[in-house]
Amino acid sequence: SSSSSSSSSSSSSSSVVSIDENPKQHLSWQWMDKYGVVPGIAASFAVMQMGFFTADQLGKGVLMIQGLDPTGSSPISGIPVAIMLGAAIKSFTIIPKEFELGIKFSTTHILRTGIVCVGAKLSAAEMISLGAAG
């Protein structure tokens, strides 16, 4: 009986759950909901959308100042604007605990996957252009 009480006390004292506790569950929505990742991912998505909107508006302003048609694509990328916006929000506000795990998941897994995909796209484009020229 002492072993069961010690195991229950050790499990109740561990209130923070690691994302990498069970890697087989990474793609399960139940896992995400169980560990509270969804609110942080939603908040990260909202910050991303605000960053892209801000970049689009700033780009239109830059084009208008230069006397160019502002209906085209923005010369300002939304990715760095979203990253800077997220960094500013984290620096100047207090992030509620309910969002922390999902934000960490977004900045580690989702952001890194996106960076790899962008790098792979650039590498593929470079190889195609070099292959056509060579």
Side-chain angles (χ1 to χ4, degrees):
S1 93
S2 66
S3 64
S4 65
S5 65
S6 66
S7 67
S8 66
S9 66
S10 66
S11 65
S12 65
S13 65
S14 174
S15 61
V16 177
V17 177
S18 170
I19 289 176
D20 297 320
E21 188 174 280
N22 189 351
K24 291 182 180 180
Q25 292 182 345
H26 275 238
L27 299 177
S28 167
W29 283 102
Q30 292 172 347
W31 174 85
M32 289 182 168
D33 190 43
K34 180 178 178 184
Y35 293 109
V37 210
V38 175
I41 291 173
S44 298
F45 182 78
V47 169
M48 178 201 68
Q49 289 298 318
M50 287 189 295
F52 276 86
F53 177 77
T54 302
D56 188 51
Q57 297 304 309
L58 289 172
K60 285 180 183 180
V62 167
L63 291 173
M64 287 174 56
I65 289 170
Q66 295 176 345
L68 301 172
D69 182 18
T71 59
S73 64
S74 175
I76 300 175
S77 173
I79 296 170
V81 174
I83 291 171
M84 290 187 298
L85 182 60
I89 290 170
K90 178 133 172 84
S91 296
F92 298 114
T93 63
I94 297 171
I95 307 295
K97 288 200 178 284
E98 296 81 19
F99 295 104
E100 288 178 358
L101 194 59
I103 291 171
K104 181 174 179 150
F105 180 84
S106 296
T107 58
T108 55
H109 299 327
I110 297 173
L111 181 62
R112 288 180 186 173
T113 302
I115 290 169
V116 168
C117 290
V118 168
K121 179 181 173 187
L122 290 175
S123 298
E126 289 173 356
M127 289 186 341
I128 290 169
S129 68
L130 289 175

